[in-house]
Amino acid sequence: NVVGGTIQYKASTDNGNTWSDWTTVKPSRTNAGTTLVKAYVKGDANHSDSEEVSGTIKVNKAAGKVTLSDTGASVPYGTTSAAFTATRLGDGELSVTDDNATAEASISNGTVTISNIGSLAQGTKVVVTVSAAAGTNYNAASATYTLTINAKSIANFTVNAIADQTY
């Protein structure tokens, strides 16, 4: 509060190109960005108006984060696809890439699917990077998942008896 008058404010969120009307409501921000502010005291009947002063309200973006349901898994040779889930802070779009020319990583509604892996040799590792673009209030971020192709077990089998042989 100010004795002798009322504080008046106006604000601009577009670098001063347009300004709000003067108001007694103190400006604020709810999202990351910068608001320019001008203020003065409108004098009452016994006081003159003050000079205008300027300032800024700046809200920085928070660190982004991508969370995966797991950081990796192993599947046996011949498995055709594998999946895991991914979430992120904020509203930045999620995308995926992988480091294998044969495998294909894709994302839909937070589920990451790694397909075309059925012919990858035992011992192959496919590294998938899930990235979140910078959004309204969060910076870009990424996380990695490693899929390892293991040897496939030989299914149960039986060997028929071999008849005795005569030399």
Side-chain angles (χ1 to χ4, degrees), residues 79-119:
T79 301
T80 58
S81 66
F84 62 95
T85 59
T87 58
R88 78 336 192 160
L89 292 174
D91 57 358
E93 184 175 342
L94 283 174
S95 61
V96 294
T97 58
D98 68 74
D99 70 345
N100 185 283
T102 302
E104 280 186 31
S106 61
I107 188 165
S108 177
N109 297 321
T111 298
V112 178
T113 302
I114 310 166
S115 56
N116 294 338
I117 59 173
S119 64

Side-chain angles (χ1 to χ4, degrees), residues 29-35 57-62 135-138:
R29 287 200 65 86
T30 55
N31 289 317
T34 301
T35 297
I57 300 170
K58 184 170 185 175
V59 177
N60 295 316
K61 288 186 179 187
T136 304
N137 292 310
Y138 292 92

Side-chain angles (χ1 to χ4, degrees), residues 18-144:
T18 57
W19 290 87
S20 66
D21 292 330
W22 288 105
T23 179
T24 58
V25 178
K26 195 181 296 186
S28 64
R29 287 200 65 86
T30 55
N31 289 317
T34 301
T35 297
L36 302 177
V37 177
K38 291 184 179 181
Y40 78 99
V41 176
K42 180 169 182 58
D44 61 17
N46 297 315
H47 296 87
S48 59
D49 294 352
S50 73
E51 292 189 25
E52 247 180 52
V53 294
S54 298
T56 59
I57 300 170
K58 184 170 185 175
V59 177
N60 295 316
K61 288 186 179 187
K65 183 177 180 182
V66 174
T67 302
L68 306 179
S69 58
D70 201 347
T71 58
S74 298
V75 295
Y77 170 80
T79 301
T80 58
S81 66
F84 62 95
T85 59
T87 58
R88 78 336 192 160
L89 292 174
D91 57 358
E93 184 175 342
L94 283 174
S95 61
V96 294
T97 58
D98 68 74
D99 70 345
N100 185 283
T102 302
E104 280 186 31
S106 61
I107 188 165
S108 177
N109 297 321
T111 298
V112 178
T113 302
I114 310 166
S115 56
N116 294 338
I117 59 173
S119 64
L120 296 179
Q122 177 268 333
T124 301
K125 292 184 184 298
V126 178
V127 178
V128 176
T129 301
V130 181
S131 300
T136 304
N137 292 310
Y138 292 92
N139 289 316
S142 64
T144 58

